[in-house]
Amino acid sequence: MAEVKLLATWPSPFYYRVVWALKSKGIAYEFIEEDLANKSPLLLQYNPVHKKIPVLIHGGKPICESMIILEYIEEIWPKNSLLPNDPYEKAVARFWIKFADDKSPEIWRVFRSVGEEQEKAAKDSLEMLKTIEEHALGEKKFFGGDKIGMVGIAFGQLAQWLQVIEDVTGVKLLEASEFPRLQRWINNFKQVPVINENLPDYDQMFAFFKGRRQMLLASK
Amino acid sequence: MADVKLHGFWASPFSYRVIWALKIKGVDYEYIEEDLSNKSELLLKYNPVYKKIPVLVHGGKPIAESLVILEYIEETWPGNPLLPSDPYEKAMARFWIQFAVAKASVYRAFFVSTGGEDQEKARKDWLEVLKILEDQALGDKKFFGGDTINLVDISYGVLAYWFKNTEEVIGIKVLEPTTLPRLSQWVQNFMQVPVIKENIPDSHKMLAYLRIVREKIIVAEQHNK
């Protein structure tokens, strides 16, 4: 079996997407910690175009971009499938995955800004949450089913990183009363063993992102 | 066989991505032109999240987002494959398709640039994107897909036709043989592929339309300053 390595940094939510996919399929891998402030020759060699993590390296060949990595993992190791079999359901899943990637950056804009810019980012973030609540979730336990899949993993940032952003910035976005389905999904998602056992420590995350925000604002 | 409908817009490169894929696969479909200034009830029902075209409707079930539609078409009609079968090569194809999405804002900045330093920077940034594409995605191949076009070529159709028209509207050439010889050759080759050649918008109409769109965006952005 060709070896699997994962080049990434803690506590990137994109890194965790790949961890959850690998772990849910029981795939052994070696984690290589990357220092983004001092990018390694390995990273520059494996992701010359974007110079970002995560990068999955399978049998020496690099794959970049977290959702592309997940599609690759799904194809190479089809056990414990993360996508529906039916082509239409699969297309619906891919639509929501794209939505997650298009809109999730809004919560990070809240994290990085203050004043008017932050207000706008908060508004856009709420729009995104509303859309998920009204159109994506339905009545099922997870997006589209009884088990977690690629869509849930794609929205994984909302399950822990969103709360850190809220606590660090003091901007509350997800009120359980306004987003009951989303809150229920978060609770269910975090209880799934593969997620539960592979979430960054909350206090460490809080300290890390608090420090980051201070640095960001100081440099403005 | 369930019927296939495509809600599109005559000037949209995203609409054409779907048309090209359907035609290559020989899929019969009904085309419905949407008036984007007066969106149909049907479009709003089929794509409530974005309210945009293209939307493919197969047997009454809607799929939105051109790249999602392309993957669906590839899977549902596997003849004349448009993605590599090798999982690693497929991941690389998807990487380059995503690269277009990641760099759309650079394209846009160039599209709305009006002059001076801003425009020069926008031009340089966009040229850099094209150089990466030429060097690392295309290389010495005839098409991104090799000897024949695939989903990567289809995704970059916007360069071959819409961007060439944009250069004419702005009055600045970026994609030329002296700076980007291989990519320029790709444009020539791509536009000669029969299914592409026979399925592109009218050039005069497109130029006029692009001029109007660009004006509108520039005016809107000036109001926002």
Side-chain angles (χ1 to χ4, degrees), chain A residues 48-50 61-65 68 71-72 75-76 87-88 90-91 94-96 98-99 102-103 131 135, chain B residues 47-50 61-65 68 71-72 75-76 85 87-88 90-91 94-96 98-99 132 136:
Chain A
V49 174
H50 298 299
K61 299 198 284 194
I63 301 126
C64 310
E65 295 298 298
I68 293 176
E71 292 259 12
Y72 176 81
E75 198 163 342
I76 302 275
Y88 182 74
K90 202 182 290 192
R94 285 184 172 140
F95 174 88
W96 287 112
K98 184 166 202 293
F99 179 86
D102 281 349
K103 305 293 184 187
T131 301
H135 295 282
Chain B
N47 191 359
V49 173
Y50 291 109
K61 301 198 283 194
I63 301 143
E65 290 298 298
V68 174
E71 293 259 12
Y72 177 80
E75 202 164 332
T76 305
S85 51
Y88 184 76
K90 199 184 293 191
R94 286 178 173 145
F95 175 85
W96 288 112
Q98 276 309 309
F99 182 75
I132 293 173
Q136 301 192 34

Side-chain angles (χ1 to χ4, degrees), chain A residues 13-14 17 20 100-101 104-105 107-108 152-163 165 185 189:
Chain A
F14 306 103
R17 283 175 168 179
W20 296 330
D101 271 352
S104 297
I107 65 175
W108 293 102
I153 291 177
F155 281 115
Q157 293 180 57
L158 302 180
Q160 179 123 315
W161 285 260
L162 176 60
Q163 194 186 341
I165 290 170
W185 170 76
F189 186 76

Side-chain angles (χ1 to χ4, degrees), chain B residues 96-97 99-100 133 144 151-160 186:
Chain B
W96 288 112
I97 292 170
F99 182 75
L133 207 56
F144 292 99
L151 287 191
V152 183
D153 298 89
I154 286 174
S155 302
Y156 283 104
V158 66
L159 279 185
W186 171 80

Side-chain angles (χ1 to χ4, degrees), chain B residues 7 18 32 35 74 77 95 97-98 109 130 132 140 151 164 171 176 180 187 189 194 215:
Chain B
H7 290 250
V18 180
I32 297 148
D35 175 1
E74 177 63 7
W77 294 281
F95 175 85
I97 292 170
Q98 276 309 309
L130 296 181
I132 293 173
D140 294 320
L151 287 191
K164 302 301 280 166
E176 355 165 54
L180 294 154
V187 168
N189 292 335
E215 248 334 282

Side-chain angles (χ1 to χ4, degrees), chain A residues 56-77:
Chain A
L56 188 80
I57 305 150
H58 185 209
K61 299 198 284 194
I63 301 126
C64 310
E65 295 298 298
S66 60
M67 294 321 297
I68 293 176
I69 293 171
L70 260 59
E71 292 259 12
Y72 176 81
I73 289 171
E74 178 68 7
E75 198 163 342
I76 302 275
W77 297 281

